[in-house]
Amino acid sequence: MEIKYDVSIIVPVYNRENLIQSCINSINTQTLDKSRWEVIFVDDASIDRSIEAIEGLINKNINYRIIKREVPSGNASTPRNEGIKASLGKYVFFLDSDDYIDSKLLENGINIALKNDSDIVYFKMELNARTVTKRPFKHPIVDKADIEKNHLMRTLRIFKMFKTKMLRENNILFDVTVNVCEDMLFGATALLYAKNISILADRDYYFASLHDEPHLSKKKMTLEKLFHIYFYTIQSLYCSNREINFKIKFYNALLIRCVEHLRDVCKKDKINNENLIRIFSFASDLFNLHKEMFELKQIYEKERLLVLLFLSKDFKTFFELSNDSKILQDFCQKIEKEFEKEKGFNKAWIFENKVVVLDFIFDNNRIAFDIEVNEKTKNVKIWMFCRNDSKFFETYKGNILEKKDHKILIFNDTCDLSAMCKSIKKAIVENQG
């Protein structure tokens, strides 16, 4: 198909008469020369005045088309596929009709794409109530991103630029039988074929709206559909002609995602049901087909035990470990909120269902706090240590209650959040001093 534009924005629409204004306003304000891009609205047989709203709001100097479907598909995949097939752009960019984008997205995105001959360009999303990962966006601009180093598997949302030629030559389309996490399957498949990937994180580029209206892709995920996604993706990996180093990185990154998905299912279900056990076993067998690609060092530290249990098909222990106590979960969220804006704070997480861990990074030193909560007595112990230097605290001048190996005990009292936080902050200041 003839290429007339640098990029095509593809917007699936269904009953968005009252929600599409912000989306179109953000399209109207794009700074890229209007002769270089187009917008394709694919209306999935809306029964409201969505089409009239588009016509009334869109800047008529913009190259735009409205594809009207006569029969609703009931998902976002079919309209997006029609957009890909109709695109006249060198790249396609997917935008949901209830979301909006920064005015520089197209300009900055196409500049880095053309500069690097990128197959995919990742854009930083605004952090809001939807789950948005931080790992891939630690650096403002990455020309040539690596799947492991830049954590590309962590965000498979499809609000990116994709090279149209790559999609068409490899027949990469949305699976219309998958009505939730369809972007994950599409994103992982595209990642498998992409040779050059760039990242733009110098500002928030994509803004996801939060509302209670129905979403085209907001459906309940079944375990069977979840397994289908991983089955298709891992089989595509095994059959691909990518070099072995890439395959190993892809395999381990996908393995982490699968284990996290199963962990989350275990947390929600709270039931040791037969269907979950069956899918767990199938998924484990799937990844064990090429276990020679497994590398423990590529697995995130806090996921390592769960991954090993998954590969060994130990569902009982996996299920128990996945179900962190509610007390620890609530406590971890509270402690993270207390420190999320603190200088040097990295993350808060739960280790082996026993300890809440606070991680800080100061210069080249990785300082951590293990917070042990006794759920019966409500007593709390806080141990402080340095991950990269066991002798780091030899000159520490703060209050030390006890020493244990390379750890120092700085707090041993009742579960008073305010007192605990003060103790940790004081220890940080004394360490920095």
Side-chain angles (χ1 to χ4, degrees), residues 393-405:
F393 293 113
E394 287 184 357
T395 58
Y396 180 70
K397 298 178 181 179
N399 185 36
I400 299 176
L401 302 178
E402 182 183 341
K403 287 187 178 181
K404 182 179 180 182
D405 299 326

Side-chain angles (χ1 to χ4, degrees), residues 323-383:
N323 283 287
D324 298 327
S325 78
K326 186 68 167 59
I327 292 177
L328 276 183
Q329 287 183 44
D330 292 344
F331 177 73
C332 186
Q333 291 176 358
K334 289 178 181 177
I335 203 79
E336 183 174 37
K337 189 173 182 180
E338 287 288 330
F339 286 95
E340 61 184 358
K341 295 182 179 179
E342 193 78 18
K343 181 182 177 181
F345 177 69
N346 185 35
K347 61 181 178 179
W349 50 285
I350 299 173
F351 176 66
E352 292 188 352
N353 200 23
K354 296 177 182 178
V355 178
V356 173
V357 183
L358 276 176
D359 278 322
F360 292 82
I361 300 175
F362 300 110
D363 297 324
N364 294 321
N365 296 310
R366 299 175 60 208
I367 308 299
F369 296 86
D370 278 356
I371 307 175
E372 299 176 359
V373 182
N374 188 313
E375 297 183 15
K376 292 182 179 179
T377 65
K378 306 301 180 186
N379 188 72
V380 173
K381 287 185 177 181
I382 302 177
W383 296 89

Side-chain angles (χ1 to χ4, degrees), residues 7-12 23 40 42 76-85 87 91-97 99-101 105-106 121 123 125 156-164 167 172-174 183 186-187 190 206:
V7 61
S8 301
I9 303 177
I10 297 172
V11 187
C23 172
I40 304 171
V42 186
S77 295
T78 301
R80 286 172 181 157
N81 286 342
E82 293 204 17
I84 294 172
K85 293 172 183 176
S87 170
Y91 289 87
V92 295
F93 174 80
F94 299 103
L95 170 61
D96 277 0
S97 56
D99 297 338
Y100 59 99
I101 52 178
L105 184 144
L106 290 187
V121 179
F123 295 97
M125 291 183 66
L156 295 175
R157 292 178 181 273
I158 45 78
F159 310 125
K160 305 174 175 73
M161 276 187 187
F162 297 89
K163 185 179 287 184
T164 312
L167 299 180
I172 303 173
L173 293 168
F174 291 88
D183 51 352
F186 181 93
Y206 194 98

Side-chain angles (χ1 to χ4, degrees), residues 130-143:
R130 288 196 198 174
T131 303
V132 178
T133 187
K134 299 178 183 178
R135 285 191 178 108
F137 306 110
K138 290 182 178 180
H139 305 288
I141 297 175
V142 181
D143 288 320

